[in-house]
Amino acid sequence: MTSAENPHSTTLQYVHWFRHSAPYINAHRNKTFVIMFDGEAVLHENFQHIIHDIALLHSLGIRLILVHGARPQINQNLKFSQIDTPFHLQRRVTTRESLSCVMNAVGSIRLQIEALLSMGLANSPMYGARIDVVSGNFITAKPYGIRDGVDYQLTGEVRSVDTDAIQRHLENHNIVLLGPTGYSSTGEVFNLLAEEVATKTAIHLKADKLIFLGEQHGLVNTERQLQREIHPQHLNQYIQAAQQHHPELALHLNAAQEASLNGVHRVHLISYAYDGALLEELFTRDGSGTMVSDAHYEEVRTANIQDVGGLIRLLRPLEEEGVLVYRSRERLENEIGQFAVIERDGMILACAALYPIPTTGNELRSAEIACVAVHPAYRKSNRGRQILDYLEDKAKAMGIQQLFILTTRTAHWFLEQGFSPASVDELPDARQALYNYQRNSIVCKKSL
C-alpha cells in the first residue's frame, strides 16, 4: 500500500506539518501583512482558495490589508464601451470618459471579494468565520501629471495613506480592502497602480510583510532554479530582464525593491495559480516562492586557502575543549574546499564542512556535515542556521540524498534544524569503519 493509499500515513504527514508550522503561527500572530493580487488573480480558478487561505490567516490573528488590481476587468469594460486608453511606461492614460469603466471594475471586484469573505456554508473552509471587511477613502492621490509630453489626465499616484484609520480597523480585527484608486482633497477619483498602493501602504504602516501574488512562482536564475531569497540590491538585473517579456513581474520587482529598501524587511513573490502557495510560503521553512530581504547578514561562501588562519583561530578553542576533533593546519589546507565560512572584516565568524561519504550497493548517496562552529560572540545570531542551509543546498546540487552529523555536545541544536536521531548502524559502511567508539558521538541524520 502506498502512502497515498494509507490514511494513517497521510494523517502523520499532516500532523508533522502542523507541528512544524507552530513556530510560524506564533511568530506571525498580531503582525501586519499587506497582500497584493492583480485582476488576473481574481479571474483565476484558484482565487476562491486564496480567499479561504486569507480567512485562515485572519483567524490566526494576522492583521491583513488586501490590495487588488483590476487591469483585465478595466480592459473588458473599455472594450465593451469602445473606449481606447493608451499605456505609457506601464501606466494607463485615464481619460475622463474612461473613468466610469475604471470605477465599475474596481467596485465590482470589491463586492466580489467582500462576498467571498462572507461565505459561511457548513461544508466550506470558512464555516463559522466572522470576518468584517472594511473599504474606504484611505488613500489620498494626486495627478501623475505630464511626463515626457504625455498627459496622464486622471491617472494618479499615491500622495498619502491614512495609517491611523487603517490601524484602528486592524485593531478591531477587521480586514482592510484597498483598490487601485485614490481620492483628492477636491473630490476627484484617480486611477492608481495597485502595486504602488500596496507598496506605499506597507511602507507607511511599517508592515511586517508585503506579499505579491503574481503569475510567476518567484524569481528563477539563468539555470531556471528558483531563487528562495534575494537582496533588494540584486534585483536590478531581474527587473531589466522582466520589463520586456513580463511587465507585471517587473512592476512587482520594482515595488518589492522599493518596499525592502524603505523598511519592509520581508517581501514575498509567490504564484496565485499555485494552490496553497500563501500557506506554504508563510508556514514552511523553504516557502513556495522568492523572499526579498534587506537582512544585514554576512554572505556564506566556500572557503579558500587564505581562510586557513582564521579557521584555526575559530576551531582551536573548541578542539581543546573536546567539542571538535583536532585538525592540523595541513589537513585544513588539504580539505579547504569542503569548508563554507561566514566572514566579516577579515574575521571568520562561522564555518562548517561537507564531506561526501563513499557508498556502495543500495546505499543512499550520503554526506557528513562536520566541524560546525560559530564564534562565541555571535552564537545568538542565525549564522549557524545560515551556514547549514548553504551546505544543504550544496549537497542537494551534488545529488546527496541524506546527511549525517556526529556530535558530542550539540545534538539538540541539530534536532531543532530538522535532523533526527540515528544509530551508528545507519551510517554508510565506509563511515561506520571510521567511527570512533571512544568518542561515542551521537549520530543524527536528515533526508534531503
Side-chain angles (χ1 to χ4, degrees):
M1 179 182 289
T2 66
S3 61
E5 298 168 336
N6 187 341
H8 181 62
S9 175
T10 303
T11 301
L12 286 178
Q13 289 175 4
Y14 168 75
V15 170
H16 177 80
W17 176 86
F18 194 71
R19 285 173 176 165
H20 283 77
S21 68
Y24 299 99
I25 294 172
N26 292 324
H28 296 331
R29 186 176 291 115
N30 296 321
K31 297 298 173 61
T32 300
F33 295 179
V34 177
I35 302 176
M36 185 264 159
F37 43 86
D38 52 28
E40 286 81 4
V42 177
L43 295 171
H44 197 273
E45 61 184 3
N46 191 49
F47 187 63
Q48 185 165 310
H49 294 146
I50 293 172
I51 291 294
H52 291 163
D53 292 345
I54 286 171
L56 176 57
L57 298 183
H58 179 263
S59 73
L60 294 174
I62 298 172
R63 297 147 57 101
L64 297 173
I65 300 102
L66 309 182
V67 182
H68 70 82
R71 289 188 194 97
Q73 292 84 351
I74 293 172
N75 289 339
Q76 185 178 13
N77 287 352
L78 290 170
K79 183 178 179 181
F80 181 79
S81 300
Q82 297 182 330
I83 299 173
D84 181 47
T85 56
F87 276 82
H88 291 282
L89 300 177
Q90 299 180 343
R91 286 183 188 260
R92 187 192 304 274
V93 175
T94 309
T95 61
R96 193 162 296 278
E97 66 172 346
S98 70
L99 185 61
S100 61
C101 296
V102 174
M103 295 172 66
N104 288 338
V106 172
S108 176
I109 293 173
R110 176 177 62 82
L111 291 172
Q112 180 184 350
I113 294 171
E114 290 176 352
L116 288 172
L117 285 169
S118 300
M119 290 175 60
L121 296 175
N123 293 326
S124 78
M126 294 175 61
Y127 176 65
R130 178 69 178 102
I131 301 174
D132 292 323
V133 186
V134 177
S135 301
N137 56 342
F138 302 120
I139 306 297
T140 300
K142 61 182 179 180
Y144 196 63
I146 300 172
R147 310 283 179 104
D148 298 325
V150 177
D151 185 355
Y152 284 83
Q153 301 185 52
L154 291 176
T155 295
E157 59 183 329
V158 175
R159 182 174 184 175
S160 64
V161 179
D162 191 346
T163 55
D164 290 340
I166 292 176
Q167 290 285 17
R168 284 196 299 271
H169 288 296
L170 294 177
E171 288 167 6
N172 288 329
H173 309 291
N174 300 325
I175 291 179
V176 175
L177 178 61
L178 304 177
T181 53
Y183 310 91
S184 72
S185 57
T186 58
E188 288 184 296
V189 179
F190 288 98
N191 182 21
L192 310 177
L193 283 177
E195 291 81 3
E196 184 185 357
V197 172
T199 302
K200 298 298 185 184
T201 300
I203 292 171
H204 282 75
L205 282 170
K206 297 180 174 59
D208 298 282
K209 288 183 184 293
L210 170 59
I211 302 169
F212 289 102
L213 288 161
E215 184 181 3
Q216 311 291 325
H217 275 280
L219 289 179
V220 293
N221 59 21
T222 53
E223 285 77 38
R224 306 303 299 167
Q225 297 171 323
L226 180 65
Q227 299 289 92
R228 297 288 184 183
E229 185 170 345
I230 189 168
H231 192 278
Q233 300 283 13
H234 298 158
L235 285 176
N236 291 329
Q237 58 178 323
Y238 292 97
I239 293 171
Q240 292 172 3
Q243 281 173 341
Q244 185 174 0
H245 302 293
H246 302 287
E248 175 226 40
L249 178 60
L251 285 171
H252 288 181
L253 294 179
N254 270 311
Q257 186 178 59
E258 180 185 354
S260 190
L261 294 175
N262 286 277
V264 182
H265 298 300
R266 298 288 185 270
V267 184
H268 301 260
L269 306 168
I270 59 177
S271 171
Y272 60 70
Y274 175 47
D275 189 12
L278 193 55
L279 300 183
E280 189 174 325
E281 180 71 9
L282 294 175
F283 298 105
T284 66
R285 185 170 64 85
D286 291 333
S288 66
T290 297
M291 181 174 73
V292 181
S293 170
D294 72 338
H296 299 291
Y297 57 79
E298 301 81 5
E299 186 176 359
V300 186
R301 60 171 175 83
T302 300
N304 57 55
I305 198 68
Q306 286 76 30
D307 296 320
V308 171
L311 284 172
I312 290 174
R313 286 190 291 273
L314 178 64
L315 298 176
R316 282 294 179 265
L318 296 171
E319 292 169 352
E320 291 169 0
E321 290 178 29
V323 176
L324 296 177
V325 175
Y326 173 77
R327 285 171 171 78
S328 66
R329 174 180 283 272
E330 181 180 3
R331 181 179 174 185
L332 285 172
E333 291 176 351
N334 291 334
E335 298 178 352
I336 195 65
Q338 312 290 351
F339 277 78
V341 297
I342 297 177
E343 175 206 10
R344 189 172 74 185
D345 297 331
M347 177 181 177
I348 303 297
L349 302 184
C351 73
L354 179 71
Y355 296 99
I357 302 173
T359 52
T360 58
N362 295 325
E363 291 181 332
L364 296 176
R365 296 190 64 180
S366 304
E368 178 182 356
I369 288 181
C371 209
V372 180
V374 179
H375 190 281
Y378 297 91
R379 286 178 186 161
K380 292 186 178 180
S381 68
N382 68 339
R383 291 176 178 85
R385 174 74 258 177
Q386 284 177 236
I387 209 160
L388 191 62
D389 286 344
Y390 179 86
L391 291 181
E392 284 187 18
D393 288 341
K394 181 178 178 181
K396 290 175 184 176
M398 294 166 60
I400 299 297
Q401 296 169 286
Q402 61 180 354
L403 292 173
F404 289 91
I405 61 97
L406 283 77
T407 181
T408 59
R409 305 274 187 95
T410 57
H412 68 283
W413 184 82
F414 286 99
L415 295 178
E416 291 170 359
Q417 313 311 315
F419 283 77
S420 57
S423 65
V424 176
D425 294 337
E426 292 179 73
L427 291 167
D429 292 341
R431 186 64 183 86
Q432 282 190 48
L434 299 175
Y435 182 79
N436 186 340
Y437 283 89
Q438 265 192 325
R439 188 168 170 80
N440 195 27
S441 297
I442 296 170
V443 180
C444 298
K445 72 175 182 179
K446 184 176 186 178
S447 298
L448 298 180

